Amino acid sequence: MSVAQLLHVVFTILPVFLLIGLGFLAAKTRIMPENGHKVLAAFVFNFGLPAAIFSALSTKSLVEIWDTQYLLVYALGSMLAFAVVMGVSVALLKRNLTQSVILGLGGSFSNSLLIGFPIIYFLFGSAALVPFSLTLIVENLIMLPLLLMLADFFSVQSDSSVRLRFTSTLKNLAKNPIVLSIVLGMSVSALSIPTPETASKMIDMLASTVTGVALFTIGGGLIGVRVNGMKKEISTVVLGKLILHPLILLGMILIWFELEPTMGAVAVILASMPMFGIYSVIGQKYKMEGLCSAVLLPTTLLAMVSVSVMTTIALAIFSLN
């Protein structure tokens, strides 16, 4: 890894973090109304990203889309990162099992939607959309339901049965626009159904808005976040998310799995992203909103460096310079 390669990556993804900073300044100076970032996030989540995902999946054959090796390596690598962070939380930090599950979630679940997508799209263009969609399948259909049910199972405050919690999770997934766009896009691909021209143009217009709006949203969401105390917990999650998670993926790909170079690089780069933006919202349910909010700021700021380094390493190892 040369300095020239690192600088190339830094300048390639620099606009991503500058847009995050612009969103922060817009919210700080009240150019963007209070909680305006939540409206933008709702647009990205419900319209922009589903359009981009549907467009990517519906225009390719199912053979081009489905990659069992990618799904396995991303799921197993992420679950291993989760297990390590959770184990450290229980054994060394003396947190209870529910709290440790939430800390593990923060160390293994990337912000693929709002930060990861713009970066891999800048680097690889439309070639990144298929592995990106497969990553979302792992995160939204496997990891998130499984880990939240695990947190509920360990929670002493939970007053509903495991069956009811499982049913509720499935219902929420069935209404998730990201999940629906993946299912619909793959169905259209499998059945070779052509998208009408008018609908296709509208979908493309929505998809083209995603990158800038998503990054602006992240910046606005950092307003009011404070880092107070709990340094050991914060350090554990930050190191797990920015360093351990991508290194586990990289090691597994090099040793056990054979992925096409772009697929391998996208997996590692997405794993190096900070945790997802609603982490603090999830933490509220388990009375951990303070810690979860505190983790977001340093992780996002440090990601400017760690993502650049991990991306440079991935591009060099997979010969994509």
Side-chain angles (χ1 to χ4, degrees):
M1 181 178 70
S2 67
V3 174
Q5 290 172 323
L6 179 59
L7 288 176
H8 171 71
V9 170
V10 168
F11 285 112
T12 300
I13 67 176
L14 183 60
V16 169
F17 291 99
L18 289 178
L19 273 174
I20 291 175
L22 186 61
F24 178 85
L25 289 175
K28 188 74 172 177
T29 57
R30 299 298 177 91
I31 293 176
M32 180 165 60
E34 186 176 1
N35 294 323
H37 67 282
K38 294 182 180 180
V39 177
L40 296 178
F43 169 78
V44 171
F45 182 77
N46 291 292
F47 298 100
L49 268 172
I53 292 169
F54 175 82
S55 178
L57 298 181
S58 63
T59 54
K60 292 179 172 63
S61 68
L62 196 59
V63 175
E64 292 179 276
I65 296 170
W66 193 259
D67 191 313
T68 304
Q69 291 263 11
Y70 187 96
L71 292 170
L72 276 174
V73 70
Y74 203 91
L76 292 175
S78 298
M79 292 305 296
L80 182 55
F82 162 79
V84 171
V85 175
M86 180 181 175
V88 170
S89 176
V90 172
L92 300 181
L93 304 181
K94 308 302 180 184
R95 290 280 183 165
N96 65 39
L97 289 174
T98 298
Q99 294 170 334
S100 297
V101 168
I102 300 304
L103 292 177
L105 180 63
S108 59
F109 200 111
S110 294
N111 194 335
S112 303
L113 293 173
L114 299 184
I115 301 180
F117 176 77
I119 289 177
I120 60 173
Y121 193 78
F122 286 163
L123 290 169
F124 306 110
S126 58
L129 289 171
V130 169
F132 171 71
S133 299
L134 293 174
T135 301
L136 295 183
I137 290 175
V138 172
E139 291 177 340
N140 290 281
L141 299 185
I142 301 174
M143 285 192 63
L144 191 59
L146 177 63
L147 298 185
L148 289 184
M149 281 192 290
L150 191 62
D152 281 343
F153 183 79
F154 289 136
S155 176
V156 296
Q157 297 174 353
S158 179
D159 56 359
S160 57
S161 68
V162 174
R163 180 180 177 183
L164 286 177
R165 293 195 293 268
F166 180 74
T167 303
S168 176
T169 301
L170 290 181
K171 287 180 179 178
N172 289 334
L173 286 174
K175 296 183 290 185
N176 186 311
I178 302 296
V179 174
L180 290 175
S181 67
I182 292 172
V183 173
L184 187 59
M186 295 184 73
S187 299
V188 168
S189 171
L191 298 173
S192 300
I193 301 173
T195 305
E197 184 178 356
T198 301
S200 181
K201 288 181 178 179
M202 184 176 71
I203 290 169
D204 289 343
M205 290 173 67
L206 285 171
S208 67
T209 66
V210 173
T211 53
V213 177
L215 295 170
F216 208 79
T217 300
I218 288 291
L222 294 177
I223 293 294
V225 174
R226 292 179 173 82
V227 181
N228 296 316
M230 300 173 288
K231 292 180 181 179
K232 291 181 180 179
E233 287 82 356
I234 292 174
S235 298
T236 299
V237 177
V238 170
L239 290 173
K241 186 68 218 65
L242 299 182
I243 307 298
L244 181 66
H245 191 194
L247 287 182
I248 287 176
L249 264 291
L250 180 61
M252 292 181 70
I253 293 169
L254 294 177
I255 298 172
W256 292 304
F257 292 85
E258 293 184 10
L259 294 183
E260 186 271 329
T262 300
M263 300 279 278
V266 168
V268 174
I269 293 169
L270 287 179
S272 71
M273 296 299 141
M275 71 279 298
F276 57 143
I278 62 168
Y279 185 53
S280 58
V281 176
I282 290 177
Q284 289 178 8
K285 180 179 178 183
Y286 305 98
K287 296 185 178 181
M288 294 181 65
E289 62 270 25
L291 175 57
C292 292
S293 296
V295 171
L296 278 173
L297 183 57
T299 311
T300 304
L301 294 177
L302 290 171
M304 289 188 280
V305 176
S306 63
V307 169
S308 298
V309 173
M310 288 295 177
T311 300
T312 304
I313 292 172
L315 293 178
I317 288 177
F318 295 105
S319 302
L320 293 171
N321 291 311

